[in-house]
Every structure is written in C-alpha cells, then in structure tokens.
Amino acid sequence: MKDNIALIAGEGILPVEIAKKLKDIQNSTLIIALRNDTEVLRPYAGHLIRLRIPNLTRGIKEIKAHGANKLIMAGRIPKKIIYTVPFFLDRLALKVLKNSLRDDHSLLGSIVKVFEDENIKVIPYWQILPEFLAPSGQLSKRKPNEKELKDIEYAKKILRVTLPLSFGQSICVADEAVVALEAMEGTDNMIKRAGTLSKRGVLVKMMKKDQDMRYDLPTVGTKTLENMHEAGLTCLAIEAGKTLIMEPEKFFALADKFNIAVIGVDNNG
C-alpha cells in the first residue's frame, strides 16, 4: 500500500504548518481535529473530521477507512480534559488512561502503542518540518548578556531534575531563582504567571533526554514572544536540534522588535 499520512491535530500553529506540508507531498490528507477552529485546517484537508473529545476507537476507524497507514500527532490537547470529562471518553481511551501513568510521556507513549498495534505507524513530525528545528548558538540580533547566561545555566540545572520526572519542560528564572515552572497549564500560561511574580528573567525550554522524538517536541512561536514581552522576560533559550520554531521569519523579526535574545543551547550535564 502506498504511504498515506493522516494527521491528528490539536491546538496551536504546529498542526497547521504540518497540514500545509502534507498537502504538498500527498494528494489527500485525513485530518482529525481536536480543536475548535477547524476552518484553519480545511484548505489543507482532503477529509476533515472534528472530534470534541479524544476518541481512539473512532480515530482508528477513520484512519483505516481512509486508507492511511501512517500518522502524525501534533498540537496541544489540554491535559485537564482527562480530569474534567473522563466519563465521555471511549472505552479504549479509558483503558489507556487506566493503565498508564498520568505524565505526558507515558500517556502519549500508550496512545502511540494503541495505533501501532493497529498497524498505523506513528512518525515524527520534525521530519516534515526539518527547517523549523532550532540550530545551536545565537539566533537573534541581541546576544544574551552575562546575567541572562547565568540564569540560563541555573535553569538547566533545575530542568535536569524535573525533566526526568516528566514535567517542567519550560522554566522561568530571574536572578538565579526559579520564578515559575511549567506544569499542566502549558508554557503560555506559565509565562503569564511568571509575569505576575517577577516582571523580569529568562525562559528556558528543553525536552526530556529519553523523550520520543515522534511527538511532543518543544515548540515556540510569535505567541511565546508576545507573552514573554508582556511578562517582562528578556531572553529565550531553547534546546538546539530538538525545538521547533514556528514561522521563523516572523518569529525572529518579533524577537528583534522586542529586543528579546534568543539562543539555541545543548542539554548537557
């Protein structure tokens, strides 16, 4: 069977960019949307299905019915849904939830296994958008200053402890003190919370060393910078080779406008 890639699209711009690229490389794409603004995906979909609640049984059925044998999962699906609407999940989703740890890495890994047990191969979305991967080194016009570099190193020390526990992908540090650490609320809300506490500092975003590169890579975009500017954060450090920068041209133009230093760093140590 000829490769046919389906897309499960959560929130954010990442699934839209992937849908655009898939339209260029195959005739028709099945998009299963777990988001309200499905119209942004419609121009790139051969078939568009909106699910209000994650439904693994329906997803598998639709993917097979449309002849897809590969799958990309991208975009944010609010984790709070497993606490607010668990009784509306289908039996297969409830089984995964019951048998898996509640951290993102374990949950996503269990979901991937369900699809691959049905001979639907889950593939990494960074392979569709390799040009969006952050390189190493200074990325914006302004270099991080000495104070910001110290805060970045301190943040990396904290992340080396939190990331293996499958939380805290992003952290805000000011004056070598933790201002805010990302939990279930997501990066954007964490940045806003940091702004109410400090009005200064750096944002560092990295991924777990053994994290599966097929899904849940750190992502930044213009919204990240807008929230940082509003919160008073002046520097963004992202993991080189493992972070996707959405709309790079717009992103770096905005970083320079806000005088935010952006740097690609290694997860060493």
Side-chain angles (χ1 to χ4, degrees):
M1 180 171 60
K2 184 179 179 181
D3 287 349
N4 185 5
I5 305 170
L7 170 64
I8 293 181
E11 298 173 353
I13 194 171
L14 174 60
V16 181
E17 294 293 336
I18 292 171
K20 288 179 184 178
K21 187 60 71 75
L22 287 175
K23 185 175 175 63
D24 292 336
I25 65 177
Q26 62 184 24
N27 292 329
S28 178
T29 299
L30 167 66
I31 300 179
I32 300 174
L34 292 163
R35 56 193 290 160
N36 293 324
D37 57 339
T38 55
E39 290 306 309
V40 299
L41 294 165
R42 193 170 297 280
Y44 316 109
H47 304 277
L48 179 62
I49 298 168
R50 182 191 175 200
L51 295 181
R52 295 180 182 274
I53 302 297
N55 187 314
L56 287 177
T57 304
R58 172 99 186 267
I60 291 168
K61 180 180 178 181
E62 294 290 354
I63 291 167
K64 288 186 173 182
H66 287 87
N69 62 347
K70 292 185 178 180
L71 173 66
I72 291 175
M73 303 190 307
R76 191 173 70 87
I77 298 172
K79 192 177 176 185
K80 65 182 182 181
I81 199 170
I82 69 174
Y83 296 102
T84 56
V85 291
F87 297 109
F88 294 98
L89 299 177
D90 66 294
R91 289 184 179 180
L92 188 54
L94 285 171
K95 182 179 178 181
V96 168
L97 190 60
K98 180 180 178 181
N99 295 331
S100 174
L101 296 174
R102 297 298 177 92
D103 65 87
D104 293 347
H105 191 70
S106 298
L107 277 173
L108 286 169
S110 297
I111 291 169
V112 166
K113 186 176 186 304
V114 168
F115 285 114
E116 297 207 323
D117 284 347
E118 295 290 335
N119 295 316
I120 301 167
K121 184 178 180 181
V122 177
I123 63 174
Y125 48 70
W126 65 265
Q127 291 183 352
I128 302 293
L129 302 169
E131 68 274 20
F132 286 14
L133 279 174
S136 181
Q138 179 185 343
L139 304 180
S140 58
K141 287 184 179 178
R142 184 175 76 80
K143 294 181 180 179
N145 59 39
E146 185 176 343
K147 183 173 177 296
E148 290 167 337
L149 289 172
K150 287 182 179 180
D151 280 344
I152 290 169
E153 288 305 311
Y154 182 77
K156 288 169 66 176
K157 289 179 183 178
I158 303 300
L159 291 177
R160 288 182 198 121
V161 176
T162 62
L163 286 172
L165 300 174
S166 293
F167 85 103
Q169 195 176 69
S170 298
I171 186 173
C172 174
V173 166
D175 303 324
E176 297 182 82
V178 176
V179 178
L181 184 64
E182 180 185 352
M184 195 179 294
E185 80 273 36
T187 304
D188 288 329
N189 286 325
M190 186 274 287
I191 295 171
K192 293 175 183 177
R193 177 161 55 90
T196 68
L197 299 170
S198 175
K199 279 294 181 183
R200 68 182 187 278
V202 306
L203 175 67
V204 181
K205 194 172 180 74
M206 308 189 81
M207 70 179 289
K208 187 178 177 182
K209 280 194 173 182
D210 63 348
Q211 189 166 313
D212 196 318
M213 289 283 285
R214 290 176 294 177
Y215 50 83
D216 200 30
L217 266 68
T219 302
V220 294
T222 55
K223 189 176 180 182
T224 310
L225 297 174
E226 289 166 357
N227 287 327
M228 287 180 64
H229 180 65
E230 182 68 23
L233 306 183
T234 57
C235 180
L236 171 63
I238 51 181
E239 186 167 359
K242 293 185 178 180
T243 305
L244 291 171
I245 301 173
M246 296 292 98
E247 301 177 299
E249 188 173 338
K250 292 181 180 178
F251 178 88
F252 289 115
L254 192 61
D256 295 336
K257 177 184 175 181
F258 291 154
N259 199 33
I260 293 175
V262 183
I263 184 173
V265 298
D266 297 322
N267 185 4
N268 50 28

